[in-house]
Amino acid sequence: MTIPGVGPITALAIQAFAPPMESFRRGRDFSTWLGLVPRQHTTGGKPRLGGISKMGQKDLRRLLFTGAMAVVRQASRSREIADPWLDGMLARKPKKLVAAALANRTARTVWAVATRKEDYRVRTAA
């Protein structure tokens, strides 16, 4: 619950609905299981990424996207954005696209925190 965008309901839902985090080799695999990675169309060795696939665990994906949208909304309202990645994305991309990317990033962070059995550490600006 210390991860931005993950509240008590999302944390409990991940614990209840997701398989053990050790069953995924890396955070991208967990994010893929949720359906939060871009769909790939590859031809001639040139990958083209589309929108998120939406093939996966619908309930958890919706909760993570809602939490990410809340973080994006708060970050766009306040002048102080703690995460430089989020600040850069909001300057270049639409809010819903940033929320989808943040939900993907949050899912990977959840996997990392759960597998390492550590607390979430806030990234600081360099």
Side-chain angles (χ1 to χ4, degrees):
M1 287 184 355
T2 58
I3 302 170
V6 177
I9 294 174
T10 305
L12 188 62
I14 289 172
Q15 194 174 25
F17 294 130
M21 293 294 169
E22 292 78 24
S23 63
F24 300 106
R25 284 189 9 199
R26 54 187 165 264
R28 182 177 172 87
D29 294 340
F30 177 59
S31 186
T32 302
W33 180 79
L34 290 170
L36 287 170
V37 295
R39 184 175 291 185
Q40 293 184 4
H41 302 285
T42 306
T43 178
K46 182 175 183 181
R48 297 170 188 239
L49 299 177
I52 61 172
S53 65
K54 296 182 185 173
M55 294 181 170
Q57 225 294 335
K58 185 168 86 171
D59 301 321
L60 292 179
R61 183 179 58 247
R62 184 181 301 137
L63 286 170
L64 285 171
F65 185 80
T66 303
M69 201 62 201
V71 170
V72 167
R73 191 176 312 116
Q74 179 65 30
S76 64
R77 286 182 183 166
S78 78
R79 295 289 173 213
E80 295 179 17
I81 298 177
D83 191 359
W85 176 85
L86 185 59
D87 187 28
M89 287 288 285
L90 283 172
R92 296 187 311 269
K93 304 286 184 184
K95 289 180 184 175
K96 287 195 177 181
L97 189 137
V98 173
L102 185 61
N104 183 2
R105 186 174 173 208
T106 303
R108 293 173 184 221
T109 305
V110 165
W111 175 84
V113 167
T115 55
R116 294 181 185 148
K117 307 278 192 256
E118 296 177 358
D119 290 334
Y120 175 73
R121 294 186 309 260
V122 178
R123 292 178 53 184
T124 59

Tab-separated table of all heavy atoms in Angstrom, residues 16-57:
chain	number	residue	atom	x	y	z
A	16	ALA	N	-5.507	-11.439	-3.389
A	16	ALA	CA	-6.553	-12.444	-3.513
A	16	ALA	C	-6.623	-13.070	-4.906
A	16	ALA	O	-6.788	-14.281	-5.036
A	16	ALA	CB	-7.907	-11.826	-3.165
A	17	PHE	N	-6.511	-12.252	-5.961
A	17	PHE	CA	-6.768	-12.736	-7.312
A	17	PHE	C	-5.527	-13.165	-8.079
A	17	PHE	O	-5.616	-13.977	-8.992
A	17	PHE	CB	-7.504	-11.675	-8.139
A	17	PHE	CG	-8.888	-11.380	-7.640
A	17	PHE	CD1	-9.285	-10.069	-7.436
A	17	PHE	CD2	-9.787	-12.381	-7.367
A	17	PHE	CE1	-10.548	-9.770	-6.976
A	17	PHE	CE2	-11.046	-12.106	-6.901
A	17	PHE	CZ	-11.442	-10.806	-6.707
A	18	ALA	N	-4.372	-12.596	-7.767
A	18	ALA	CA	-3.159	-12.912	-8.516
A	18	ALA	C	-2.534	-14.200	-7.997
A	18	ALA	O	-2.591	-14.491	-6.800
A	18	ALA	CB	-2.157	-11.767	-8.401
A	19	PRO	N	-1.927	-14.963	-8.900
A	19	PRO	CA	-1.177	-16.132	-8.434
A	19	PRO	C	0.055	-15.674	-7.657
A	19	PRO	O	0.378	-14.488	-7.650
A	19	PRO	CB	-0.782	-16.837	-9.742
A	19	PRO	CG	-0.927	-15.841	-10.801
A	19	PRO	CD	-1.914	-14.835	-10.347
A	20	PRO	N	0.754	-16.575	-7.004
A	20	PRO	CA	1.962	-16.161	-6.270
A	20	PRO	C	2.938	-15.444	-7.203
A	20	PRO	O	3.134	-15.848	-8.345
A	20	PRO	CB	2.557	-17.484	-5.777
A	20	PRO	CG	1.436	-18.447	-5.812
A	20	PRO	CD	0.498	-18.006	-6.881
A	21	MET	N	3.510	-14.360	-6.709
A	21	MET	CA	4.401	-13.545	-7.544
A	21	MET	C	5.642	-14.311	-7.988
A	21	MET	O	6.251	-13.974	-8.990
A	21	MET	CB	4.823	-12.279	-6.794
A	21	MET	CG	3.702	-11.335	-6.539
A	21	MET	SD	3.065	-10.666	-8.076
A	21	MET	CE	1.589	-9.900	-7.489
A	22	GLU	N	6.009	-15.344	-7.251
A	22	GLU	CA	7.175	-16.133	-7.622
A	22	GLU	C	6.932	-16.944	-8.891
A	22	GLU	O	7.875	-17.447	-9.502
A	22	GLU	CB	7.574	-17.077	-6.475
A	22	GLU	CG	8.118	-16.358	-5.259
A	22	GLU	CD	7.026	-15.732	-4.396
A	22	GLU	OE1	5.866	-16.190	-4.427
A	22	GLU	OE2	7.342	-14.749	-3.696
A	23	SER	N	5.680	-17.073	-9.311
A	23	SER	CA	5.386	-17.819	-10.538
A	23	SER	C	5.707	-17.006	-11.792
A	23	SER	O	5.757	-17.562	-12.889
A	23	SER	CB	3.922	-18.260	-10.561
A	23	SER	OG	3.069	-17.136	-10.570
A	24	PHE	N	5.932	-15.712	-11.638
A	24	PHE	CA	6.327	-14.864	-12.763
A	24	PHE	C	7.833	-14.652	-12.713
A	24	PHE	O	8.390	-14.374	-11.662
A	24	PHE	CB	5.620	-13.502	-12.691
A	24	PHE	CG	4.121	-13.604	-12.724
A	24	PHE	CD1	3.387	-13.399	-11.567
A	24	PHE	CD2	3.455	-13.913	-13.892
A	24	PHE	CE1	2.011	-13.494	-11.577
A	24	PHE	CE2	2.082	-14.002	-13.919
A	24	PHE	CZ	1.353	-13.795	-12.763
A	25	ARG	N	8.497	-14.786	-13.871
A	25	ARG	CA	9.955	-14.634	-13.899
A	25	ARG	C	10.390	-13.196	-13.713
A	25	ARG	O	11.449	-12.918	-13.162
A	25	ARG	CB	10.514	-15.159	-15.213
A	25	ARG	CG	10.548	-16.657	-15.255
A	25	ARG	CD	11.277	-17.204	-16.440
A	25	ARG	NE	12.003	-16.200	-17.219
A	25	ARG	CZ	12.401	-16.384	-18.456
A	25	ARG	NH1	12.149	-17.510	-19.058
A	25	ARG	NH2	13.061	-15.446	-19.104
A	26	ARG	N	9.620	-12.260	-14.221
A	26	ARG	CA	9.975	-10.841	-14.118
A	26	ARG	C	8.698	-10.009	-14.076
A	26	ARG	O	7.607	-10.510	-14.302
A	26	ARG	CB	10.886	-10.408	-15.266
A	26	ARG	CG	10.332	-10.717	-16.624
A	26	ARG	CD	11.353	-10.417	-17.720
A	26	ARG	NE	10.934	-11.038	-18.960
A	26	ARG	CZ	11.350	-12.208	-19.400
A	26	ARG	NH1	12.213	-12.891	-18.690
A	26	ARG	NH2	10.915	-12.706	-20.525
A	27	GLY	N	8.882	-8.729	-13.806
A	27	GLY	CA	7.742	-7.828	-13.677
A	27	GLY	C	6.940	-7.693	-14.955
A	27	GLY	O	5.725	-7.515	-14.933
A	28	ARG	N	7.610	-7.775	-16.106
A	28	ARG	CA	6.888	-7.685	-17.378
A	28	ARG	C	5.919	-8.856	-17.545
A	28	ARG	O	4.836	-8.696	-18.110
A	28	ARG	CB	7.862	-7.622	-18.549
A	28	ARG	CG	7.125	-7.487	-19.880
A	28	ARG	CD	8.073	-7.348	-21.051
A	28	ARG	NE	7.355	-7.409	-22.297
A	28	ARG	CZ	6.806	-6.372	-22.907
A	28	ARG	NH1	6.884	-5.185	-22.364
A	28	ARG	NH2	6.183	-6.513	-24.056
A	29	ASP	N	6.299	-10.030	-17.070
A	29	ASP	CA	5.402	-11.181	-17.169
A	29	ASP	C	4.133	-10.960	-16.344
A	29	ASP	O	3.036	-11.314	-16.770
A	29	ASP	CB	6.114	-12.453	-16.715
A	29	ASP	CG	7.257	-12.831	-17.636
A	29	ASP	OD1	7.275	-12.362	-18.795
A	29	ASP	OD2	8.145	-13.575	-17.194
A	30	PHE	N	4.294	-10.379	-15.159
A	30	PHE	CA	3.125	-10.066	-14.333
A	30	PHE	C	2.261	-9.007	-15.008
A	30	PHE	O	1.041	-9.113	-15.045
A	30	PHE	CB	3.578	-9.593	-12.949
A	30	PHE	CG	2.445	-9.175	-12.043
A	30	PHE	CD1	1.443	-10.076	-11.708
A	30	PHE	CD2	2.372	-7.895	-11.539
A	30	PHE	CE1	0.390	-9.691	-10.883
A	30	PHE	CE2	1.343	-7.500	-10.722
A	30	PHE	CZ	0.341	-8.405	-10.388
A	31	SER	N	2.901	-7.994	-15.572
A	31	SER	CA	2.179	-6.942	-16.269
A	31	SER	C	1.457	-7.498	-17.498
A	31	SER	O	0.342	-7.080	-17.817
A	31	SER	CB	3.149	-5.835	-16.659
A	31	SER	OG	2.474	-4.753	-17.200
A	32	THR	N	2.076	-8.444	-18.180
A	32	THR	CA	1.436	-9.096	-19.322
A	32	THR	C	0.236	-9.898	-18.869
A	32	THR	O	-0.808	-9.900	-19.530
A	32	THR	CB	2.444	-10.012	-20.041
A	32	THR	OG1	3.554	-9.229	-20.457
A	32	THR	CG2	1.822	-10.679	-21.245
A	33	TRP	N	0.350	-10.588	-17.753
A	33	TRP	CA	-0.765	-11.373	-17.228
A	33	TRP	C	-1.961	-10.473	-16.916
A	33	TRP	O	-3.105	-10.863	-17.093
A	33	TRP	CB	-0.317	-12.130	-15.971
A	33	TRP	CG	-1.376	-12.956	-15.361
A	33	TRP	CD1	-1.803	-14.193	-15.774
A	33	TRP	CD2	-2.170	-12.620	-14.218
A	33	TRP	NE1	-2.806	-14.634	-14.959
A	33	TRP	CE2	-3.061	-13.688	-13.995
A	33	TRP	CE3	-2.223	-11.529	-13.376
A	33	TRP	CZ2	-3.977	-13.696	-12.961
A	33	TRP	CZ3	-3.132	-11.531	-12.347
A	33	TRP	CH2	-3.995	-12.598	-12.144
A	34	LEU	N	-1.676	-9.256	-16.478
A	34	LEU	CA	-2.746	-8.296	-16.199
A	34	LEU	C	-3.331	-7.685	-17.471
A	34	LEU	O	-4.447	-7.175	-17.459
A	34	LEU	CB	-2.224	-7.167	-15.308
A	34	LEU	CG	-1.901	-7.527	-13.877
A	34	LEU	CD1	-1.178	-6.383	-13.206
A	34	LEU	CD2	-3.157	-7.885	-13.125
A	35	GLY	N	-2.578	-7.697	-18.572
A	35	GLY	CA	-3.025	-7.095	-19.816
A	35	GLY	C	-2.648	-5.632	-19.914
A	35	GLY	O	-3.366	-4.840	-20.528
A	36	LEU	N	-1.520	-5.239	-19.331
A	36	LEU	CA	-1.097	-3.838	-19.317
A	36	LEU	C	0.068	-3.532	-20.244
A	36	LEU	O	0.602	-2.440	-20.201
A	36	LEU	CB	-0.709	-3.427	-17.892
A	36	LEU	CG	-1.858	-3.239	-16.927
A	36	LEU	CD1	-1.347	-3.084	-15.512
A	36	LEU	CD2	-2.685	-2.030	-17.317
A	37	VAL	N	0.491	-4.473	-21.079
A	37	VAL	CA	1.601	-4.217	-21.986
A	37	VAL	C	1.058	-3.877	-23.370
A	37	VAL	O	-0.034	-4.298	-23.739
A	37	VAL	CB	2.567	-5.418	-22.071
A	37	VAL	CG1	3.237	-5.667	-20.749
A	37	VAL	CG2	1.855	-6.650	-22.538
A	38	PRO	N	1.807	-3.113	-24.157
A	38	PRO	CA	1.341	-2.784	-25.503
A	38	PRO	C	1.280	-4.017	-26.399
A	38	PRO	O	2.134	-4.899	-26.313
A	38	PRO	CB	2.392	-1.808	-26.027
A	38	PRO	CG	3.184	-1.384	-24.865
A	38	PRO	CD	3.041	-2.424	-23.819
A	39	ARG	N	0.279	-4.067	-27.248
A	39	ARG	CA	0.165	-5.144	-28.221
A	39	ARG	C	1.218	-4.932	-29.301
A	39	ARG	O	1.418	-3.817	-29.758
A	39	ARG	CB	-1.222	-5.144	-28.838
A	39	ARG	CG	-1.437	-6.314	-29.792
A	39	ARG	CD	-2.838	-6.338	-30.272
A	39	ARG	NE	-3.690	-6.705	-29.147
A	39	ARG	CZ	-4.988	-6.908	-29.263
A	39	ARG	NH1	-5.581	-6.756	-30.404
A	39	ARG	NH2	-5.705	-7.243	-28.214
A	40	GLN	N	1.896	-6.002	-29.704
A	40	GLN	CA	2.978	-5.880	-30.678
A	40	GLN	C	2.537	-6.415	-32.031
A	40	GLN	O	1.926	-7.473	-32.114
A	40	GLN	CB	4.203	-6.651	-30.214
A	40	GLN	CG	4.857	-6.070	-28.993
A	40	GLN	CD	6.124	-6.813	-28.639
A	40	GLN	OE1	6.548	-7.707	-29.342
A	40	GLN	NE2	6.736	-6.430	-27.526
A	41	HIS	N	2.860	-5.680	-33.057
A	41	HIS	CA	2.690	-6.121	-34.439
A	41	HIS	C	4.073	-6.043	-35.064
A	41	HIS	O	4.604	-4.969	-35.274
A	41	HIS	CB	1.717	-5.215	-35.193
A	41	HIS	CG	0.372	-5.139	-34.560
A	41	HIS	ND1	-0.548	-6.157	-34.647
A	41	HIS	CD2	-0.213	-4.173	-33.816
A	41	HIS	CE1	-1.648	-5.815	-33.991
A	41	HIS	NE2	-1.456	-4.611	-33.473
A	42	THR	N	4.666	-7.198	-35.353
A	42	THR	CA	6.025	-7.225	-35.852
A	42	THR	C	6.036	-7.785	-37.263
A	42	THR	O	5.433	-8.821	-37.531
A	42	THR	CB	6.919	-8.096	-34.953
A	42	THR	OG1	6.790	-7.616	-33.619
A	42	THR	CG2	8.364	-8.034	-35.371
A	43	THR	N	6.703	-7.073	-38.151
A	43	THR	CA	6.894	-7.567	-39.504
A	43	THR	C	8.267	-7.137	-39.987
A	43	THR	O	8.676	-5.988	-39.790
A	43	THR	CB	5.800	-7.051	-40.459
A	43	THR	OG1	6.071	-7.531	-41.763
A	43	THR	CG2	5.717	-5.546	-40.478
A	44	GLY	N	8.995	-8.062	-40.553
A	44	GLY	CA	10.323	-7.753	-41.065
A	44	GLY	C	11.309	-7.357	-39.992
A	44	GLY	O	12.244	-6.627	-40.262
A	45	GLY	N	11.079	-7.791	-38.771
A	45	GLY	CA	11.984	-7.471	-37.683
A	45	GLY	C	11.768	-6.088	-37.094
A	45	GLY	O	12.524	-5.653	-36.236
A	46	LYS	N	10.742	-5.371	-37.560
A	46	LYS	CA	10.482	-4.024	-37.047
A	46	LYS	C	9.234	-4.068	-36.177
A	46	LYS	O	8.123	-4.206	-36.692
A	46	LYS	CB	10.280	-3.047	-38.193
A	46	LYS	CG	10.061	-1.631	-37.733
A	46	LYS	CD	9.986	-0.681	-38.894
A	46	LYS	CE	9.839	0.727	-38.372
A	46	LYS	NZ	9.745	1.692	-39.458
A	47	PRO	N	9.410	-3.961	-34.849
A	47	PRO	CA	8.233	-4.019	-33.967
A	47	PRO	C	7.449	-2.711	-33.997
A	47	PRO	O	8.029	-1.628	-34.034
A	47	PRO	CB	8.828	-4.275	-32.586
A	47	PRO	CG	10.210	-3.738	-32.671
A	47	PRO	CD	10.648	-3.890	-34.099
A	48	ARG	N	6.136	-2.830	-34.008
A	48	ARG	CA	5.250	-1.675	-33.904
A	48	ARG	C	4.337	-1.923	-32.716
A	48	ARG	O	3.617	-2.914	-32.687
A	48	ARG	CB	4.426	-1.508	-35.170
A	48	ARG	CG	5.266	-1.234	-36.379
A	48	ARG	CD	4.441	-1.319	-37.635
A	48	ARG	NE	5.313	-1.238	-38.793
A	48	ARG	CZ	5.209	-0.310	-39.713
A	48	ARG	NH1	4.278	0.610	-39.621
A	48	ARG	NH2	6.038	-0.291	-40.728
A	49	LEU	N	4.386	-1.020	-31.762
A	49	LEU	CA	3.606	-1.180	-30.547
A	49	LEU	C	2.278	-0.461	-30.689
A	49	LEU	O	2.213	0.672	-31.152
A	49	LEU	CB	4.371	-0.642	-29.338
A	49	LEU	CG	5.701	-1.328	-29.047
A	49	LEU	CD1	6.390	-0.650	-27.885
A	49	LEU	CD2	5.500	-2.791	-28.774
A	50	GLY	N	1.213	-1.130	-30.262
A	50	GLY	CA	-0.118	-0.534	-30.301
A	50	GLY	C	-0.582	-0.179	-28.902
A	50	GLY	O	0.214	0.113	-28.017
A	51	GLY	N	-1.888	-0.224	-28.694
A	51	GLY	CA	-2.457	0.051	-27.380
A	51	GLY	C	-2.299	-1.141	-26.457
A	51	GLY	O	-1.803	-2.195	-26.856
A	52	ILE	N	-2.737	-0.977	-25.204
A	52	ILE	CA	-2.631	-2.107	-24.277
A	52	ILE	C	-3.557	-3.214	-24.749
A	52	ILE	O	-4.602	-2.964	-25.358
A	52	ILE	CB	-2.916	-1.703	-22.816
A	52	ILE	CG1	-4.320	-1.155	-22.637
A	52	ILE	CG2	-1.881	-0.722	-22.318
A	52	ILE	CD1	-4.693	-0.921	-21.206
A	53	SER	N	-3.187	-4.444	-24.483
A	53	SER	CA	-3.864	-5.588	-25.076
A	53	SER	C	-5.240	-5.851	-24.477
A	53	SER	O	-6.106	-6.373	-25.154
A	53	SER	CB	-2.986	-6.831	-24.924
A	53	SER	OG	-2.832	-7.152	-23.561
A	54	LYS	N	-5.458	-5.524	-23.217
A	54	LYS	CA	-6.711	-5.778	-22.507
A	54	LYS	C	-7.053	-7.265	-22.456
A	54	LYS	O	-8.205	-7.633	-22.315
A	54	LYS	CB	-7.868	-4.992	-23.133
A	54	LYS	CG	-7.703	-3.502	-23.034
A	54	LYS	CD	-8.902	-2.794	-23.619
A	54	LYS	CE	-8.673	-1.313	-23.630
A	54	LYS	NZ	-9.710	-0.607	-24.330
A	55	MET	N	-6.063	-8.124	-22.598
A	55	MET	CA	-6.265	-9.557	-22.465
A	55	MET	C	-5.602	-9.984	-21.172
A	55	MET	O	-4.398	-10.131	-21.110
A	55	MET	CB	-5.634	-10.312	-23.628
A	55	MET	CG	-6.249	-10.060	-24.944
A	55	MET	SD	-5.395	-11.031	-26.154
A	55	MET	CE	-6.449	-10.809	-27.537
A	56	GLY	N	-6.347	-10.124	-20.140
A	56	GLY	CA	-5.757	-10.506	-18.875
A	56	GLY	C	-6.766	-10.357	-17.756
A	56	GLY	O	-7.971	-10.391	-17.985
A	57	GLN	N	-6.295	-10.164	-16.558
A	57	GLN	CA	-7.141	-10.055	-15.388
A	57	GLN	C	-7.788	-8.668	-15.371
A	57	GLN	O	-7.160	-7.672	-15.043
A	57	GLN	CB	-6.292	-10.289	-14.137
A	57	GLN	CG	-6.905	-11.193	-13.113
A	57	GLN	CD	-8.149	-10.599	-12.473
A	57	GLN	OE1	-8.321	-9.408	-12.428
A	57	GLN	NE2	-9.012	-11.449	-11.983
